[in-house]
């Protein structure tokens, strides 16, 4: 699963920014994962309220499979 997401991310990045290699690859993939982890937490919390999102991040109902790893809580 990680390889598929990584491939999709790289293809999208290269297409949008036309840069090879990525200047800050680690920061780019960590940011990508952070945004989609946050999205999953917001959807789980069904809210944009900070405490509810925090609670969702601390008790994910399903694992988040990102580029840099899988997050379980």
């Amino acid at each position: 699963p990680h390889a598929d997401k990584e491939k999709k991310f790289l293809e999208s990045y290269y297409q949008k920014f036309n840069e090879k290699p990525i200047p800050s690859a680690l920061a780019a993939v960590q940011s990508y994962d952070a945004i989609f982890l946050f999205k999953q937490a917001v959807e789980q919390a069904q809210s944009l309220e900070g405490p509810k999102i925090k609670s969702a991040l601390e008790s994910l109902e399903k694992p988040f499979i990102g580029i840099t790893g899988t997050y379980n809580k």
Side-chain angles (χ1 to χ4, degrees):
H2 299 287
D4 293 338
K5 284 192 174 208
E6 181 179 359
K7 182 179 178 185
K8 182 179 176 185
F9 170 79
L10 289 172
E11 288 172 353
S12 296
Y13 187 96
Y14 294 149
Q15 183 178 14
K16 182 169 182 149
F17 298 107
N18 197 27
E19 283 187 297
K20 286 187 182 181
I22 299 173
S24 296
L26 183 58
V29 296
Q30 288 174 333
S31 298
Y32 178 91
D33 278 359
I35 293 297
F36 283 96
L37 178 58
F38 180 78
K39 176 185 180 283
Q40 182 174 318
V42 168
E43 290 172 348
Q44 179 179 314
Q46 297 181 342
S47 174
L48 293 175
E49 295 177 30
K52 291 181 180 179
I53 296 168
K54 179 180 182 281
S55 178
L57 285 167
E58 292 173 341
S59 58
L60 294 174
E61 294 172 352
K62 61 182 181 177
F64 169 75
I65 302 170
I67 297 171
T68 59
T70 299
Y71 301 88
N72 298 296
K73 195 69 176 169

